[in-house]
Structures are given as C-alpha cells and as structure tokens.
C-alpha cells in the first residue's frame, strides 16, 4: 500500500505563517477594541455606538504596546507574566502533578479490572435455573464493563488532537488575559490624561453656530437662556453648563474635542485636576444639515493652563 503524499516544506511553512498572521490580527483587534472600550467608557460612551473604522482598532493596539516608553515597559512585563503563566499551566497539565494524578487513576483502573476478573472467575454453577440465569446476567454485565474499561480510547488521533488543542487553548487564554489587562490599564491611563486640562492631548474646540439654533450656544456678550426649548433631566446641571459654555482658563474651564464621528462632535470641559470621584460631562453636537456651523480646533496653549496661584 503506497503512502499518502506529503506536503512540501514550503506549503507547510506558508500554512503556519498564515495561521500565525490570523492569530496576530485577532489579538491586535481584541486589544484595540478593549482599549477603546475602556477609553470611551470613561466618558460614559459605548464604543459599539460609535461607527469607528476597523483599522483604528489595530492602530490603537500598537499604541497600547508601543505608544510610549512606559507602555513598552508594561508590555515587556505583561509578556513575562504571560510566559510564566503559560509555563505553570502546562506544568500542571503535563508535569509532575499531572503524572501523579495519572498514576493514581491507573492504580484505580488496575484495581477495578482485578475486581472484575475475580468476579468473572466462576465457581460451581448453581443447580437452580433462575440462579443460573441471574449468574449469567451478572457475568455478562461484568464482561461488558470490563470491555468498556479495556477500550483504549486515548490511542485515537482525535483524542490526541484534543489534548494538543487543550494546550493551545491555555496559551491563547493567557495571551488574551494579558492583552486585556494591558489594554484596560492603558485605556484608563490615557482617559485620565486627556480628561485633565493640564495633561490633555486633545485639541481645544470652538464651535460657532447661528443664534438660537442650538440650546447651549450662547452669545459671549450676552449670556442668556435660549427661548422655546424644553429639557428632560437635571435642570441644575443644564443651568451650570449654560453658564460655563465659554472657555475660562482662570477658572480651570477649557472645552476640548473628544471625537468627531461623521460630523457629530463630542466635546467636554476638561477637569481642573485628577479626581477619582468625578468624570467630565460630554456634550454631543449633532451634525449640521445646512452647513451653518464653524468648528475651530487648536492645540493647547500656555494660556489654557492656569498658573499655580489660580488652582
């Protein structure tokens, strides 16, 4: 019988490279999605409601891994922890603890077979017909149980594949857990950085609209509440927001642009300092249908950061 043709080494190598690239893409997407989920969740936004392009998640993953020297250091620490976790897990599955467990199970297996063999060793057959019938039934059940125990299930290739799949699953679980932890930490750290005025990397935003076309747009020379509007929710927070619609760095109030999603602008007043009990409020300005708005973005200036005497 002729042997089945084997694949050339080049084809096997290409298959391994393709599977590695697929796994790498999945890990990068998972890391980027987790990072953006944590980052926008800090501002009370769901990443699933934002139509973000697919490639942005991969760029975010590279930012998590290599965005700064501190991020690279955390990546190295995470990789080291993943390697230690994988090694310890495989040692438990394949090393001395697993071998001891297998040896104990083998002893139980041998004792069970010995008991079955002794039970199958028949003595003198009873003379009563119904007793002989019960004895044959009992012997048949013992023989069936012995055949079941002697069945070499682990010799099948499918079971060997499942064992290899278990090892790969352990490795993947550790890899995803490490990437999740790293993305969660980096996302929260970047969110706090951008939420605080003095450390924010987000641009300062200025939005100009026509009078009374937007309920939060105010005249800088005459701050008043627009007429003909209704609100639902906390009226006091709306009044505070209305009176704080103009940047005032001396009062630690600077509006910044969080994200622009298809013309919908998400803006927020940056926090004066980091406070674990506070989160910045986010205002969503819908896209303009008539092109009657002016959006101005600029980087942070020295005048946007109040001096130490004003803090």
């Amino acid at each position: 019988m002729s042997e089945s043709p084997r694949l050339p080494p080049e084809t096997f190598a290409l298959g391994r490279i393709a599977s590695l690239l697929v796994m790498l893409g999945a890990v990068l997407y998972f890391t980027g999605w987790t990072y953006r989920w944590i980052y926008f969740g800090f501002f009370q936004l769901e990443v699933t409601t934002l139509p973000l392009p697919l490639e942005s998640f991969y760029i975010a993953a590279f930012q998590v891994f290599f965005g700064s020297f501190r991020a690279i250091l955390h990546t190295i620490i995470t990789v080291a922890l993943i390697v230690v976790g994988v090694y310890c897990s495989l040692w438990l599955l394949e090393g001395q603890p697993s071998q001891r467990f297998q040896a104990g199970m083998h002893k139980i297996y041998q004792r069970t077979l010995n008991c079955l063999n002794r039970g199958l060793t028949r003595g003198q057959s009873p003379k009563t017909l119904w007793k002989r019938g019960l004895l044959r039934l009992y012997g048949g059940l013992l023989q069936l149980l012995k055949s079941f125990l002697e069945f070499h299930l682990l010799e099948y290739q499918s079971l060997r594949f499942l064992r290899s799949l278990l090892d790969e699953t352990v490795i993947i679980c550790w890899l995803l857990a490490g990437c999740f932890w790293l993305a969660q930490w980096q996302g929260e750290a970047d969110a706090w950085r951008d939420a605080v005025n003095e450390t924010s990397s987000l641009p300062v935003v200025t939005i100009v609209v026509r009078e009374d076309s937007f309920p939060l747009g105010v005249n800088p020379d005459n701050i008043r509440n627009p007429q003909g509007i209704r609100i639902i929710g906390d009226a006091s927070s709306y009044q505070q927001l209305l009176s704080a619609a103009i940047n005032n760095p001396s009062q630690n109030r600077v509006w910044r642009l969080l994200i622009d999603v298809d013309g919908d602008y998400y803006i927020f007043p940056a926090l004066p300092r980091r406070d674990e009990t506070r989160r910045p409020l986010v205002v969503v300005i819908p896209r303009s249908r008539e092109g009657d708005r002016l959006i101005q973005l600029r980087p942070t200036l020295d005048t946007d950061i109040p001096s130490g005497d004003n803090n």
Side-chain angles (χ1 to χ4, degrees):
M1 183 177 180
S2 60
E3 296 182 357
S4 58
R6 296 182 178 180
L7 295 176
E10 295 81 3
T11 304
F12 179 76
L14 289 176
R16 296 298 296 270
I17 292 175
S19 61
L20 178 61
L21 291 177
V22 171
M23 178 59 63
L24 180 61
V27 171
L28 289 177
Y29 179 82
F30 173 80
T31 305
W33 195 94
T34 303
Y35 169 81
R36 289 191 172 275
W37 174 58
I38 295 296
Y39 181 86
F40 288 109
F42 177 88
F43 296 95
Q44 309 301 316
L45 295 176
E46 288 289 342
V47 69
T48 55
T49 62
L50 302 175
L52 300 174
L54 182 63
E55 57 271 13
S56 67
F57 294 101
Y58 293 100
I59 300 300
F62 281 100
Q63 181 180 354
V64 171
F65 295 134
F66 313 108
S68 62
F69 176 78
R70 192 176 182 182
I72 295 175
L73 181 61
H74 280 88
T75 300
I76 295 175
I77 295 175
T78 303
V79 171
L81 292 177
I82 291 175
V83 172
V84 172
V86 169
Y87 181 86
C88 294
S89 299
L90 294 181
W91 175 73
L92 291 174
L93 292 176
E94 305 291 344
Q96 186 176 4
S98 177
Q99 293 176 1
R100 289 183 177 179
F101 176 76
Q102 293 178 8
M105 294 300 297
H106 184 71
K107 290 182 180 180
I108 297 175
Y109 171 76
Q110 288 296 335
R111 291 177 181 177
T112 305
L113 283 181
N114 293 334
C115 292
L116 290 176
N117 290 328
R118 288 195 299 267
L120 290 174
T121 302
R122 299 180 181 179
Q124 185 177 2
S125 178
K127 298 180 180 181
T128 308
L129 180 62
W130 67 271
K131 290 184 178 180
R132 288 200 302 268
L134 290 177
L135 182 62
R136 290 180 180 179
L137 179 61
Y138 175 70
L141 292 176
L142 292 181
Q143 188 68 36
L144 183 63
L145 182 59
K146 180 182 177 182
S147 176
F148 176 79
L149 293 177
E150 291 179 343
F151 180 64
H152 300 289
L153 182 64
L154 297 179
E155 294 182 358
Y156 280 75
Q157 294 293 334
S158 58
L159 268 298
R160 296 179 182 177
F161 169 76
L162 289 178
R163 184 160 186 170
S164 175
L165 185 62
L166 176 62
D167 296 340
E168 295 179 0
T169 302
V170 170
I171 297 174
I172 293 175
C173 288
W174 273 105
L175 180 61
L176 294 180
C179 291
F180 178 84
W181 173 82
L182 187 62
Q184 184 181 31
W185 177 88
Q186 189 65 44
E188 186 174 356
D190 289 351
W192 271 116
R193 178 202 63 194
D194 291 338
V196 178
N197 185 40
E198 294 185 358
T199 60
S200 181
S201 62
L202 298 175
V204 178
V205 62
T206 303
I207 300 178
V208 182
V209 296
R210 291 190 302 185
E211 187 176 7
D212 296 337
S213 64
F214 189 71
L216 289 181
V218 296
N219 189 330
D221 299 327
N222 182 21
I223 298 180
R224 61 182 178 83
N225 189 6
Q227 301 298 320
I229 64 172
R230 298 290 185 271
I231 66 171
I232 298 177
D234 187 5
S236 61
S237 63
Y238 172 76
Q239 294 294 340
Q240 295 174 3
L241 184 62
L242 182 67
S243 61
I246 304 298
N247 286 6
N248 190 346
S250 63
Q251 298 181 3
N252 292 299
R253 186 175 68 243
V254 177
W255 286 83
R256 296 183 180 273
L257 175 67
L258 176 62
I259 189 175
D260 171 18
V261 182
D262 295 336
D264 294 339
Y265 289 86
Y266 293 72
I267 64 176
F268 68 96
L271 298 177
R273 63 186 61 85
R274 178 163 179 166
D275 186 356
E276 299 291 342
T277 61
R278 297 181 58 188
R279 290 292 188 273
L281 59 90
V282 178
V283 177
V284 182
I285 299 181
R287 69 196 70 180
S288 175
R289 301 295 182 181
E290 301 177 358
D292 54 352
R293 295 178 185 174
L294 173 64
I295 310 297
Q296 179 184 357
L297 304 176
R298 64 170 176 82
T300 301
L301 303 177
D302 293 337
T303 56
D304 297 319
I305 307 299
S307 61
D309 297 336
N310 296 326
N311 288 335

